[in-house]
Amino acid sequence: MHRTEHTSASQDRFQELVQPHLSRLVGFASRRLNNAADAEDVVQDACTRAWLAFAQLRDESLTLPWLYRILRSTLSDFVDKQTRREQIAPTLALERVGDDATGSGEAGPLEHLIASISSERVHELLLMLPEEFALAIELHDLEGLRYRDVAETTGVPTGTVMSRIHRGRKLLAALILMDDGLRDFAGLKSGQAEHHLNKRRA
């Protein structure tokens, strides 16, 4: 039998074995995701994985449990991906606020904004940031360690440390804006920001 004929026969057999179970698989996924569209996508992904692993199915009488095993793995991957997206989304939203706070990207407004609150409040807000950003800021900005010392402490390259500090400061600025009601600060230029904060201290 030629390769193409063998592949076609395998595809036909795969369809015969899987097709009767599709509705059960979709129902299983729907109950766990509570979303019919997502469930159908996950089942489609699981069927693709099943086809790629079809040669591993030695006993066709065990097709259903084999499919369930693949579907559970696919569901787990889907949920993990969704969880990561949900975790990342607030960070990305904060970064957008932080970008607005820094205006043109100059350090002045950002530094003035962070300096406008107490060190105790800074520590409290750092607890709300992702650990890698909070640690980099704490070691460098609050403890006074140099970039290379922070890199040595955290076990990451110096460039990564600098990036984390830069992003972390923007996230921290966003938290300050939301916490203190300083959203109007985002529209100020560097000199205007300093004047605004000095007036608040007066």
Side-chain angles (χ1 to χ4, degrees):
M1 181 181 290
H2 294 296
R3 182 183 180 87
T4 54
E5 293 175 348
H6 175 73
T7 300
S8 178
S10 295
Q11 291 175 339
D12 290 343
R13 186 56 183 157
F14 178 79
Q15 291 290 343
E16 291 174 3
L17 292 172
V18 173
Q19 190 70 36
H21 304 303
L22 284 179
S23 61
R24 294 180 65 177
L25 296 176
V26 172
F28 182 86
S30 296
R31 288 190 294 274
R32 277 143 189 82
L33 298 178
N34 198 30
N35 183 301
D38 286 343
E40 291 177 359
D41 288 342
V42 169
V43 170
Q44 182 175 356
D45 188 10
C47 287
T48 300
R49 296 187 187 189
W51 164 244
L52 294 175
F54 188 38
Q56 300 173 15
L57 179 62
R58 302 301 182 185
D59 186 347
E60 292 183 356
S61 68
L62 299 177
T63 297
L64 184 57
W66 177 70
L67 288 172
Y68 272 131
R69 185 167 64 250
I70 294 174
L71 178 57
R72 288 185 62 197
S73 176
T74 308
L75 280 166
S76 178
D77 291 344
F78 178 84
V79 171
D80 287 346
K81 185 182 295 185
Q82 289 294 98
T83 300
R84 286 195 296 272
R85 287 175 180 172
E86 291 171 0
Q87 291 172 340
I88 292 172
T91 299
L92 295 178
L94 277 178
E95 282 198 84
R96 285 193 291 271
V97 176
D99 285 336
D100 291 340
T102 56
S104 64
E106 299 175 357
L110 179 57
E111 293 172 350
H112 285 301
L113 180 59
I114 295 175
S116 70
I117 65 174
S118 67
S119 59
E120 291 80 6
R121 187 56 183 154
V122 170
H123 280 97
E124 292 175 358
L125 294 177
L126 284 178
L127 294 176
M128 302 172 65
L129 297 184
E131 172 64 20
E132 65 269 23
F133 300 136
L135 180 60
I137 289 179
E138 183 169 6
L139 292 175
H140 182 270
D141 292 354
L142 303 182
E143 297 297 327
L145 272 66
R146 295 171 296 182
Y147 287 127
R148 66 181 185 183
D149 295 330
V150 177
E152 181 68 24
T153 300
T154 58
V156 299
T158 301
T160 301
V161 168
M162 296 174 69
S163 175
R164 288 179 178 180
I165 291 173
H166 176 70
R167 292 185 64 190
R169 285 171 176 168
K170 290 196 296 183
L171 295 174
L172 181 59
L175 287 175
I176 296 171
L177 286 170
M178 292 186 291
D179 184 61
D180 292 344
L182 295 176
R183 293 180 178 83
D184 57 327
F185 182 86
L188 299 175
K189 301 297 183 181
S190 177
Q192 293 174 308
E194 183 173 3
H195 175 71
H196 177 75
L197 291 171
N198 285 338
K199 286 182 60 179
R200 284 175 54 85
R201 295 192 187 100

